């Protein structure tokens, strides 16, 4: 297929991207207007649509299919963006602004740029003589813990739809990303017993027990750093654990009854996250709690997992990786520190990689932008993959 102007993205791409940026889909807002707009665009071109919603039905995922039959390929992107609160923008973040062959706006790079390219290419997907289906997945609430994509995957599972591969278009400067770490965030509540601080033997000091647990967690982190498994290619080649938030106590002369803290665990692909978590819980239940309960039976420690992203493992998707590489050009696949929805697709049995326009350094920042060159390179990827799946 020939390109009219090699320096410009296609008008459809820019038009779709303009529309997408104009919807303020900051994660705290509903994304329904954007989804309805995308759905009517895709429906007009003949796509078959599926929707899955959050419990309150204020947000939706859209799954659109061109072509027929089993398998096929998914282009997937999230529709939500991070807030602009407190950021100093030189233009309206919710109105696409073009300057020096770059398009500025909230989400331009993370990741409405990719979504705009895919929706802009929908006419081509609709008219291609596809041997296998091409699906477009648009999700909600990625930026606040990947809350939407599990619902989409549940819906596909229920409907018996099993695509053979997925490309998640997070900004990677159009380089192929085949691995990222997994992550868990835990909240830990330490319940002790209050007393006047002159009477410490009658109390259970929640802060002191929390600090022992935090020290134990830090010991595990140091052991990972010095002797744990390593995968070169990651910025930090080993697992990391750190306590990042803590609250407790009510006054300088009161033994605290409560202390709460959060820790964040980033683990390597191919390793089980449970081992370390079990070790932490065992230290709490077998070493700390018995001592606490001797003073007060109501004392104890509770854990709650408040966020999880599986790791993306490069052992499980060689075929889709080779496909993407064959259309974006040969280079060493990357390993990145940030988590993406690709690992959720992989966990559901759909081999997945990350490749999208724009630089991650630019995501979440004021004056976020995507360059025309990156948009064009993404258009090429979509077109070439569609050609590969066509008769
Ligand atoms: Zn993103």
């Amino acid at each position: 297929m020939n390109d009219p102007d090699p320096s410009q993205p296609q008008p459809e791409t820019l038009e779709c991207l303009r529309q997408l940026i104009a919807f303020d889909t900051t994660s705290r807002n509903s994304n329904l207007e954007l989804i309805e707009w995308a759905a009517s665009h895709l429906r007009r071109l003949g796509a078959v649509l599926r929707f899955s919603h959050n419990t309150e039905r204020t947000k939706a995922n859209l799954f659109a299919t061109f072509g027929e039959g089993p398998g096929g390929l998914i282009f997937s992107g999230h529709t939500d963006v991070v807030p602009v609160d407190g950021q100093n923008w030189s233009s309206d973040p919710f109105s696409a602004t073009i300057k020096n062959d770059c398009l500025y706006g909230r989400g331009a790079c993370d990741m409405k740029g990719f979504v705009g390219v895919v929706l802009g290419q929908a006419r081509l997907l609709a008219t291609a003589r596809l041997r296998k289906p091409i699906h477009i997945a648009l999700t909600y609430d990625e930026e606040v813990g990947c809350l939407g994509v599990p619902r989409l995957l549940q819906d596909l599972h229920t409907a018996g739809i099993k695509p053979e591969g997925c490309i998640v278009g997070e900004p990677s400067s159009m380089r192929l990303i085949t691995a990222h770490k997994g992550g868990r965030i835990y909240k830990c509540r330490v319940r002790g017993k209050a007393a006047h601080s002159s009477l410490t033997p009658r109390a259970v000091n929640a802060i002191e027990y929390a600090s022992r647990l935090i020290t134990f967690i830090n010991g595990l982190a140091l052991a990972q750093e010095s002797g744990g498994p390593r995968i070169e290619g990651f910025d930090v080649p080993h697992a990391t654990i750190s306590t990042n938030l803590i609250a407790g106590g009510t006054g300088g002369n009161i033994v605290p009854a409560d202390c709460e803290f959060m820790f964040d665990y980033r683990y390597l692909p191919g390793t089980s996250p449970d081992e370390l978590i079990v070790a932490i819980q065992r230290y709490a239940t077998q070493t700390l709690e018995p001592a606490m309960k001797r003073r007060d039976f109501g004392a104890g420690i509770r854990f709650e997992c408040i966020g999880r992203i599986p790791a993306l493992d490069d052992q499980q998707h060689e075929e889709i990786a080779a496909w993407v590489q064959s259309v974006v050009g040969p280079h060493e696949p990357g390993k990145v520190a940030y988590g993406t929805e690709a690992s959720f697709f992989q966990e559901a049995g759909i081999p997945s990689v990350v490749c999208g326009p724009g630089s991650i350094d630019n995501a979440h920042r004021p004056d976020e932008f995507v360059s025309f060159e990156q948009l064009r390179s993404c258009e090429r990827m979509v077109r070439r993959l569609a050609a590969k799946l066509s008769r």
Side-chain angles (χ1 to χ4, degrees):
M1 267 160 256
N2 44 13
D3 304 318
D5 180 348
S7 70
Q8 296 281 314
Q10 297 189 348
E12 295 84 355
T13 297
L14 292 179
E15 182 47 33
C16 286
L17 188 43
R18 220 185 273 282
Q19 296 268 7
L20 289 165
I21 285 175
F23 295 108
D24 176 1
T25 49
T26 308
S27 310
R28 60 180 172 240
N29 300 338
S30 166
N31 74 336
L32 290 180
E33 278 183 33
L34 183 156
I35 288 291
E36 277 159 24
W37 169 79
S40 75
H41 170 67
L42 293 166
R43 191 184 288 116
R44 251 196 321 272
L45 292 166
V48 175
L49 308 182
R50 303 184 65 83
F51 298 88
S52 44
H53 291 84
N54 66 347
T55 311
E56 300 77 27
R57 298 188 74 83
T58 53
K59 301 187 181 193
N61 301 305
L62 171 62
F63 188 79
T65 301
F66 289 106
E68 283 172 354
L73 182 67
I74 309 176
F75 292 112
S76 180
H78 61 80
T79 58
D80 60 322
V81 294
V82 295
V84 295
D85 308 347
Q87 293 186 342
N88 193 10
W89 281 70
S90 6
S91 60
D92 177 359
F94 298 106
S95 165
T97 305
I98 289 171
K99 210 170 65 188
N100 302 332
D101 283 349
C102 291
L103 187 144
Y104 291 78
R106 173 50 87 221
C109 129
D110 185 9
M111 60 186 288
K112 288 177 171 175
F114 175 79
V115 175
V117 167
V118 172
L119 294 179
Q121 298 289 313
R123 187 175 304 280
L124 174 110
L125 303 180
T127 51
R129 298 179 61 218
L130 295 173
R131 284 182 289 116
K132 290 185 173 193
I134 289 185
H135 312 277
I136 298 171
L138 303 183
T139 61
Y140 65 84
D141 280 358
E142 190 270 353
E143 296 287 6
V144 287
C146 296
L147 307 179
V149 70
R151 300 261 178 149
L152 180 124
L153 289 165
Q154 181 58 47
D155 175 61
L156 296 189
H157 178 75
T158 308
I161 297 170
K162 195 156 182 224
E164 291 154 292
C166 175
I167 297 165
V168 175
E170 286 287 347
S172 72
S173 304
M174 287 309 291
R175 294 181 68 80
L176 175 65
I177 305 293
T178 53
H180 64 64
K181 286 184 182 178
R184 297 261 183 101
I185 295 179
Y186 282 84
K187 184 186 267 186
C188 180
R189 290 195 181 90
V190 181
R191 176 78 185 151
K193 188 186 178 203
H196 189 274
S197 52
S198 62
L199 304 169
T200 53
R202 297 184 195 169
V204 181
N205 190 317
I207 290 180
E208 289 177 2
Y209 279 101
S211 76
R212 287 174 64 181
L213 188 50
I214 291 167
T215 303
F216 180 81
I217 291 170
N218 181 239
L220 294 177
L222 295 174
Q224 287 296 317
E225 191 172 340
S226 58
R230 301 174 87 81
I231 300 181
E232 296 310 324
F234 282 109
D235 284 349
V236 179
H238 51 82
T240 56
I241 323 160
S242 70
T243 300
N244 300 330
L245 190 72
I246 188 163
T250 51
N253 61 352
I254 304 163
V255 179
D258 293 289
C259 182
E260 235 179 61
F261 65 93
M262 281 190 205
F263 63 95
D264 178 327
Y265 173 29
R266 304 284 164 136
Y267 60 95
L268 293 171
T271 64
S272 161
D274 297 326
E275 222 168 280
L276 250 98
I277 298 300
V278 167
I280 293 167
Q281 288 173 333
R282 199 183 301 129
Y283 180 72
T285 54
Q286 296 182 1
T287 303
L288 299 181
E289 277 191 335
M292 297 167 77
K293 285 183 187 298
R294 268 197 296 278
R295 293 259 180 95
D296 184 77
F297 195 73
I301 299 172
R302 283 215 319 264
F303 294 89
E304 185 190 351
C305 180
I306 58 165
R308 63 173 280 279
I309 290 190
L312 182 66
D313 190 339
D314 55 8
Q315 302 305 306
Q316 294 175 31
H317 47 46
E318 277 131 359
E319 203 179 333
I320 174 81
W323 264 54
V324 173
Q325 205 147 36
S326 75
V327 297
V328 296
H331 59 268
E332 186 66 25
K335 297 177 169 67
V336 293
Y338 56 89
T340 73
E341 294 180 330
S343 57
F344 287 84
F345 283 97
Q346 183 177 71
E347 193 180 53
I350 302 169
S352 299
V353 295
V354 176
C355 186
S359 161
I360 190 72
D361 299 337
N362 199 254
H364 300 196
R365 301 174 65 89
D367 294 340
E368 177 181 349
F369 70 91
V370 64
S371 72
F372 282 4
E373 178 269 319
Q374 285 286 298
L375 292 172
R376 293 209 18 91
S377 161
C378 186
E379 286 173 346
R380 255 191 321 271
M381 173 177 81
V382 174
R383 271 204 311 276
R384 289 177 178 171
L385 286 171
K388 270 180 180 284
L389 285 172
S390 300
R391 275 186 269 272

